[in-house]
Amino acid sequence: MESRLLKVFQSVFGGEIESIKDSDAVDGLPGWDSAGHLNLIMAIEAEYGIQFEIEEMEFLTSVAALRERLAEF
């Protein structure tokens, strides 16, 4: 899952991102603001063939939260 999720981050926020860690969160990476967050969520949904509930999107604001939620699918 690590490399797959990293590729999504790179596609949304730019290829210069070499790694992601659980502590990375909204406003911690360049471009991960509210618009970037929506783009990231949509890219993750497309890559993994899943759909998050609208209500949970506001809580998926860190790499750790995203990994935890993806593990549930």
Side-chain angles (χ1 to χ4, degrees):
M1 176 169 55
E2 177 70 26
S3 64
R4 192 173 177 191
L5 187 57
L6 174 60
K7 287 180 183 185
V8 174
F9 269 79
Q10 289 171 330
S11 72
V12 173
F13 300 120
E16 66 275 358
I17 295 175
E18 295 180 14
S19 66
I20 52 175
K21 51 191 179 298
D22 284 347
S23 60
D24 289 331
V26 169
D27 294 331
L29 291 175
W32 196 355
D33 53 17
S34 58
H37 184 66
L38 183 57
N39 290 332
L40 177 63
I41 293 295
M42 291 188 306
I44 290 172
E45 288 177 333
E47 173 65 26
Y48 288 85
I50 59 172
Q51 188 166 5
F52 296 114
E53 296 294 327
I54 291 174
E55 298 81 19
E56 72 182 317
M57 289 182 198
E58 69 180 287
F59 301 106
L60 300 174
T61 57
S62 71
V63 172
L66 287 165
R67 283 183 178 151
E68 186 177 309
R69 184 63 179 107
L70 286 170
E72 296 174 7
F73 284 98

